């Protein structure tokens, strides 16, 4: 195999278009000896490889390897990545990162005549972020990287911070659960929670495109699994914590501790500055974590009367659900904000967003003005075809989020509320009955349906939700409340819309911006917003005509 040592930057090969941001198009080669020295990984040289053998990319999937890549052969639940090293080398990998078991597998199965370097680490995943960052030129150090974590509100807060940074003249990247964007324009990406090589490649591609600030949602999985390792966060923000992901985290404490990596002393991904909502006990605990050993106190925000750097006053709710509120920040300087979404929790999101923007160098007034027109896909998103009732699609798929949305809608409702809701399969089983109970307390009509059952029996998921619903006493439910079980999600939406009268509210919860429904391992096209619009249009067409039309 010919040597792949190069002296200059390498232009990435392949069929990726100019709009693709999965990797930068130009990468300065990094010698494997440098990666070994920076991580402490043992360096084994095979064939004609030397310490000067270079790497220009990092990849976790052998089928995605490009010439010059380092292939990360990690141990997995079903197979060891080292089993695919032969394919990676065939595709042009110049180096492999693995553990001792992977090294033994490579010795058995890799082509004997091949040339490549092997970096052997005790826990290769723990160094993958640092390796990826080094290969791609430490891109986060050339950006103002803002990480937002918490159970609910990450997406809304991210969009608001993005708007503030754009208004201040920054070129802004957004990495979130809904989409990846550059300067407000969506770009091709399948990265919801990017693995470390994908994230570092994406950040480097954004730098190459001229981005100088990135707002990123940071999940507990990303923190616990090291997906953001190697990232340098200028600002870290925390929204709140409520039950979710207890299929992955054994307890709420371990869930909290995963989030706390963004703020903890000694953490490799600790943000330089911290902004934390202290409305709940978890937030106040997170503020204590962030304060320990920090050069400056964390910035805190609150919508209640607890002590905080930033406070939101009472809300004035307009007819369209938007809210006007006065924020008081350090020095008690007042800033008027129009929050474009209903609910006190969105006031908390907006307050956090203003404080984050100020921490990033944007003026409070500029941030407030920018976020008043923010629209967040699938978050209290209205579907209006002229019907005489309100139809809303929301991503609420956790007990706390569903309770907050229903409480908000109840506060502005003149009629009844219907909720169509399910729960995801292969995820936290414990939240299912809680979701059913929350729906029972908040809605006049509850329709339990399928969400993304994945590989589970949908009826079993619905049964758990119905069990929680049944435990709610009648005196804790709205008078005359009803419940139904309709597994087919479209049929459930049709039933809710058929039930609605003028002045009512129909909430379709759980999937929000998602455009697919995963059933038995297969994703079927399904967008709640599209289906609601179709059902409303069909209902209007079936209604008696108006003379003269």
């Amino acid at each position: 195999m010919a040597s792949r040592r190069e002296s200059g930057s390498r232009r990435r090969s392949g069929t990726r278009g100019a709009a693709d941001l999965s990797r930068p198009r130009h990468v300065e080669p990094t010698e494997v000896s440098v990666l070994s020295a920076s991580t402490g990984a043992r360096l084994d040289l095979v064939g004609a490889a030397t310490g000067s053998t270079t790497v220009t990319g990092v990849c976790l999937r052998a089928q995605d390897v490009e010439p010059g890549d380092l292939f990360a052969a990690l141990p997995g639940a079903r197979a060891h990545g080292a089993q695919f090293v032969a394919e990676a080398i065939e595709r042009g990998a110049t180096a492999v990162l693995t553990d001792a078991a992977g090294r033994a597998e490579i010795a058995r199965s890799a082509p004997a005549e091949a040339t490549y370097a092997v970096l052997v680490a005790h826990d290769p995943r723990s160094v993958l972020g640092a390796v990826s960052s080094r290969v791609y030129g430490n891109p986060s150090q050339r950006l103002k990287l803002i990480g937002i974590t918490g159970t609910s509100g990450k997406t809304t807060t991210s969009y608001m911070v993005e708007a503030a940074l754009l208004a201040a003249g920054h070129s802004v990247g957004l990495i979130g659960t809904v989409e990846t964007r550059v300067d407000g324009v969506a770009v091709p990406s399948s990265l919801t929670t990017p693995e470390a090589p994908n994230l570092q490649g994406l950040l480097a591609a954004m730098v190459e495109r001229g981005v100088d600030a990135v707002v990123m949602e940071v999940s507990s999985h990303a923190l616990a699994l090291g997906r953001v390792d190697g990232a340098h966060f200028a600002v870290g923000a925390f929204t709140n914590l409520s039950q979710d992901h207890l299929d992955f985290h054994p307890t709420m404490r371990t869930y909290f501790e995963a989030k706390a990596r963004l703020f903890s002393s000694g953490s490799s991904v600790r943000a330089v500055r911290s902004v934390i909502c202290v409305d709940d006990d978890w937030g106040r605990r997170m503020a204590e974590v962030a304060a320990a050993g920090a050069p400056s106190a964390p910035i805190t925000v609150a919508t209640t009367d607890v002590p905080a750097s930033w406070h939101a006053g009472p809300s004035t709710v307009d007819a369209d659900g938007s809210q006007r509120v006065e924020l008081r920040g350090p020095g008690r300087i007042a800033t008027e904000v129009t929050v474009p979404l209903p609910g006190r929790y969105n006031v908390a999101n907006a307050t956090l967003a203003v404080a984050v923007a100020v921490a990033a160098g944007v003026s409070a007034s500029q941030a407030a003005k920018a976020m008043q027109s923010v629209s967040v896909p699938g978050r209290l998103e209205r579907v209006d075809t002229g019907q005489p009732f309100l139809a809303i699609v929301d991503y609420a798929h956790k007990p706390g989020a569903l309770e907050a949305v229903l409480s908000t809608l109840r506060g502005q409702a003149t009629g009844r509320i219907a909720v169509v809701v399910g729960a995801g399969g292969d995820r936290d089983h414990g939240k299912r009955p809680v979701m059913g109970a929350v729906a029972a307390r908040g809605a006049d009509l509850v329709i339990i349906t399928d969400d993304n059952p994945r590989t589970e029996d949908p009826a079993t998921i619905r049964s758990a939700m119905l069990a929680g619903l049944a435990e709610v006493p009648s005196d804790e439910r709205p008078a005359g409340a009803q419940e139904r079980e309709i597994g087919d999600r479209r049929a459930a939406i049709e039933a809710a819309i058929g039930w609605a009268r003028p002045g009512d509210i129909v909430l379709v919860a759980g999937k929000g911006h998602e455009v697919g429904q995963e059933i038995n391992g297969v994703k079927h096209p399904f967008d709640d917003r599209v289906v609601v619009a179709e059902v409303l249009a069909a209902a209007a067409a079936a209604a008696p005509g108006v003379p003269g039309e």
Side-chain angles (χ1 to χ4, degrees):
M1 183 174 291
S3 170
R4 288 186 172 84
R5 181 180 176 184
E6 297 186 17
S7 58
S9 67
R10 174 176 291 161
R11 182 179 177 87
R12 302 300 307 183
S13 61
T15 59
R16 292 178 291 111
D20 183 72
L21 285 187
S22 60
R23 302 183 184 212
R25 298 182 67 79
H26 300 271
V27 181
E28 290 294 330
T30 301
E31 294 184 352
V32 291
S33 60
V34 172
L35 298 178
S36 173
S38 64
T39 61
R42 187 183 83 228
L43 179 60
D44 291 352
L45 302 171
V46 180
T50 70
S52 298
T53 295
T54 60
V55 169
T56 54
V58 185
C59 197
L60 269 170
R61 289 159 44 97
Q63 59 265 45
D64 295 334
V65 165
E66 295 186 14
D69 275 357
L70 176 146
F71 173 54
L74 307 182
R78 299 178 182 175
H80 200 295
Q83 296 175 20
F84 308 100
V85 164
E87 180 181 357
I89 293 171
E90 176 64 27
R91 290 179 177 272
T94 54
V96 179
L97 171 67
T98 193
D99 59 6
R103 182 67 183 96
E105 172 63 30
I106 293 169
R108 286 192 298 270
S109 60
E113 72 284 1
T115 290
Y116 57 95
V118 184
L119 294 160
V120 184
H122 173 70
D123 180 5
R125 181 173 286 279
S126 69
V127 300
L128 181 58
V131 166
S132 302
S133 178
R134 179 66 183 80
V135 168
Y136 288 119
N138 299 312
S140 62
Q141 295 185 16
R142 292 179 281 163
L143 293 163
K144 187 169 288 185
L145 181 60
I146 298 168
I148 300 174
T149 194
T151 303
S152 301
K154 295 188 296 294
T155 299
T156 299
T157 304
S158 296
Y159 273 69
M160 290 177 171
V161 174
E162 177 201 35
L165 290 168
L166 285 170
H170 288 279
S171 178
V172 185
L174 176 76
I175 304 172
T177 56
V178 176
E179 59 190 348
T180 298
R181 309 204 308 187
V182 172
D183 288 339
V185 178
V187 296
S189 174
S190 60
L191 309 176
T192 302
T193 305
E195 288 279 5
N198 305 121
L199 174 61
Q200 296 300 329
L202 175 60
L203 293 175
M206 286 183 170
V207 169
E208 193 173 67
R209 186 173 283 202
V211 168
D212 57 41
V214 171
V215 186
M216 177 184 177
E217 295 181 46
V218 184
S219 69
S220 59
H221 288 69
L223 287 159
L225 296 174
R227 293 176 183 169
V228 294
D229 285 2
H232 175 84
F233 289 95
V235 181
F238 177 79
T239 58
N240 51 61
L241 199 77
S242 61
Q243 182 174 340
D244 195 24
H245 301 307
L246 295 190
D247 55 317
F248 179 79
H249 304 287
T251 65
M252 285 295 291
R253 173 172 287 279
T254 55
Y255 181 32
F256 171 84
E257 289 170 349
K259 299 284 191 187
R261 283 201 69 215
L262 193 57
F263 311 99
S264 301
S265 175
S267 168
S268 63
V269 294
R270 186 186 200 182
V272 176
R273 302 196 71 184
S274 300
V275 186
I276 296 170
C277 181
V278 292
D279 278 339
D280 63 19
D281 288 339
W282 292 110
R284 292 187 280 277
R285 188 179 302 182
M286 193 66 81
E288 293 175 357
V289 169
S296 59
I299 300 163
T300 53
V301 306
T303 63
T304 60
D305 58 1
V306 299
S309 314
W310 288 83
H311 270 102
S315 304
T316 300
V317 182
D318 293 335
D320 63 356
S322 63
Q323 306 171 81
R324 285 173 286 118
V325 62
E326 182 182 85
L327 306 185
R328 289 195 174 271
R332 315 319 299 163
I333 298 173
T335 302
E336 294 288 338
V337 178
T338 296
V339 182
L341 297 165
R344 191 65 178 173
Y345 62 95
N346 277 316
V347 171
N349 293 334
T351 308
L352 185 67
V354 170
V356 168
V358 170
V362 181
S363 73
S365 60
Q366 195 169 36
K369 183 178 180 180
M371 64 180 60
Q372 66 186 12
S373 58
V374 168
S375 175
V376 186
R379 272 60 175 177
L380 285 172
E381 187 170 348
R382 300 182 182 193
V383 182
D384 189 352
T385 62
Q387 77 277 5
F389 56 87
L390 191 60
I392 293 177
V393 171
D394 192 82
Y395 190 52
H397 60 286
K398 296 158 278 200
L402 183 62
E403 184 176 22
V405 171
L406 286 170
S407 176
T408 292
L409 295 178
R410 181 64 69 187
Q412 70 179 64
T414 58
R416 305 167 301 165
I417 298 176
V419 62
V420 177
V421 66
D426 303 332
R427 299 293 188 270
D428 182 4
H429 291 202
K431 75 178 183 181
R432 295 171 185 175
V434 184
M435 292 278 286
V438 166
R441 291 187 174 94
D444 301 275
L445 170 65
V446 178
I447 301 181
I448 300 298
T449 190
D450 294 343
D451 189 286
N452 291 311
R454 299 184 177 89
T455 64
E456 282 195 68
D457 176 11
T460 300
I461 301 172
R462 297 195 302 271
S463 178
M465 296 187 71
L466 288 164
L469 184 152
E471 292 180 359
V472 179
S474 58
D475 62 354
E476 295 181 16
R477 307 187 193 188
Q482 307 169 43
E483 64 267 356
R484 303 181 196 174
E485 178 185 4
I486 304 175
D488 182 274
R489 194 170 180 91
R490 177 180 283 269
I493 292 171
E494 290 172 341
I497 288 173
W499 170 89
R501 300 191 300 241
D504 288 347
I505 298 175
V506 174
L507 169 66
V508 181
K511 290 175 63 59
H513 62 279
E514 294 179 358
V515 295
Q517 184 179 29
E518 188 174 344
I519 303 171
N520 198 25
V522 178
K523 277 199 174 181
H524 303 270
F526 199 102
D527 186 326
D528 282 350
R529 298 162 296 182
V530 171
V531 172
V532 169
E534 291 173 349
V535 172
L536 288 170
V546 178
E549 292 191 349

